[in-house]
């Protein structure tokens, strides 16, 4: 499959705010997480590490352990195990191309061009606070004002609670407000959809067909071809251009004429 056929035009969308998953969206932590599960299963014959790796990406570690090894489902212990992953297996993790730059661009525009200077982006992750904080440090991304981790929800993805909370926290929970969710896992895509957001699906963990079938509106390899080329203070909207993608819903690839006849 060609990532960018010659006749493909950029995809364009307009949003008030951006919500980012962490693992698989900002950082490719699949290798590190997989090593953790393999080590966890070594002393637990009843745990199938390969099956967990195949089916549980995007879910809270506590929920996975509660399913596979209930005796180990002690919140404090699980949090400590998660926090150790970047220290023990960080060499297997790497940034998703373009992710750090895109987050920092949303942050810069929020701080310099908006009326109230409030952040218009957030992170919503199934990881615990210690784990997610270490990934952000690795990525040189400062913790956002709205940082929803596993401890802050009672129902993890695919339930939309985390994304709904983020919309409310940022002040964009009204149905007519436009919010984009960046996700890589089917559970997270479903959560974002249920929260009323459009979805950018990143193929860091699953193939394009799986990401598309899960409900993503735009499917990309990574975030390296994303540009925020304009912010409109009157509508409080970011104009985001995606130059390379696998799939995109038609509504994001139709060129629109401005009043002076220029394609926008």
């Amino acid at each position: 499959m060609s990532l960018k056929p010659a006749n493909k035009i950029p995809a364009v969308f307009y949003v008030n705010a951006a919500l980012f998953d962490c693992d698989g969206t900002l950082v490719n932590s699949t290798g590190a997480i997989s090593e953790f599960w393999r080590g966890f299963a070594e002393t637990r014959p009843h745990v199938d590490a390969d099956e967990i790796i195949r089916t549980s990406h995007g879910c809270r570690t506590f929920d996975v352990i509660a399913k596979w090894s209930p005796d180990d489902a002690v919140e404090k212990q699980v949090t400590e195990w998660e926090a150790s992953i970047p220290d023990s297996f960080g060499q297997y993790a790497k940034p998703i191309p373009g992710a750090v730059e895109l987050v920092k661009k949303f942050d810069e525009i929020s701080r310099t061009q908006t009326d109230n200077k409030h952040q218009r982006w957030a992170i919503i992750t199934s990881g615990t606070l210690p784990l997610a904080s270490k990934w952000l440090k690795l990525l040189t991304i400062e913790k956002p004002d709205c940082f929803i981790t596993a401890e802050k929800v009672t129902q993890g993805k695919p339930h939309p609670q985390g994304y709904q909370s983020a919309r409310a926290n940022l002040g964009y929970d009204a149905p007519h407000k436009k919010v984009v969710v960046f996700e890589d896992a089917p559970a997270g895509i479903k959560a974002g959809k249920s929260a009323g957001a459009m979805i950018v699906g990143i193929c860091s963990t699953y193939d394009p067909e799986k990401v598309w079938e899960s409900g993503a509106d735009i499917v990309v390899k990574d975030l390296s071809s994303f540009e925020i080329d304009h912010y409109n203070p009157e509508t409080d909207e970011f104009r985001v251009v995606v130059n390379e993608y696998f799939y995109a819903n038609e509504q994001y690839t139709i060129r629109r004429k401005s009043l002076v006849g220029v394609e926008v």
Side-chain angles (χ1 to χ4, degrees), residues 13 16 22-23 83 96 112 134 138 144 148 179 199 211 232 261 263:
F13 60 91
N16 301 114
C22 186
D23 294 273
I96 296 294
T112 61
K134 288 183 178 180
L138 177 70
I148 298 177
V179 175
I199 310 295
V211 173
N232 185 337
E263 290 184 336

Side-chain angles (χ1 to χ4, degrees), residues 65-199:
I65 289 178
K67 175 182 177 180
W68 283 91
S69 189
D71 290 345
D72 290 305
V74 179
E75 188 170 345
K76 181 180 178 181
Q77 179 63 73
V78 173
T79 299
E80 290 176 357
W81 284 335
E82 268 208 359
S84 71
I85 292 175
D87 301 322
S88 300
F89 308 112
Q91 69 270 28
Y92 296 100
K94 56 184 178 180
I96 296 294
V100 174
E101 294 82 359
L102 185 60
V103 166
K104 290 185 176 181
K105 190 64 175 179
F106 271 110
D107 189 60
E108 176 194 352
I109 293 174
S110 296
R111 289 184 291 102
T112 61
Q113 297 185 34
T114 65
D115 289 340
N116 60 15
K117 304 301 186 288
H118 291 170
Q119 287 181 337
R120 282 150 171 79
W121 66 279
I123 293 176
I124 300 85
T125 175
S126 296
T128 57
L129 179 61
L131 173 65
S133 298
K134 288 183 178 180
W135 287 143
L136 293 191
K137 184 176 181 180
L138 177 70
L139 297 171
T140 70
I141 294 176
E142 292 188 11
K143 296 178 186 177
D145 295 335
C146 181
F147 189 26
I148 298 177
T149 57
E151 302 93 335
K152 294 187 177 181
V153 298
T154 57
Q155 299 182 83
K157 302 172 186 177
H159 194 280
Q161 182 184 12
Y163 284 120
Q164 289 170 335
S165 296
R167 291 191 66 154
N169 185 288
L170 294 180
Y172 296 108
D173 51 337
H176 68 279
K177 294 298 184 181
K178 303 172 186 176
V179 175
V180 59
V181 162
F182 292 86
E183 267 282 0
D184 70 302
I189 292 171
K190 182 177 180 180
K193 275 288 185 184
S194 298
M198 71 160 287
I199 310 295

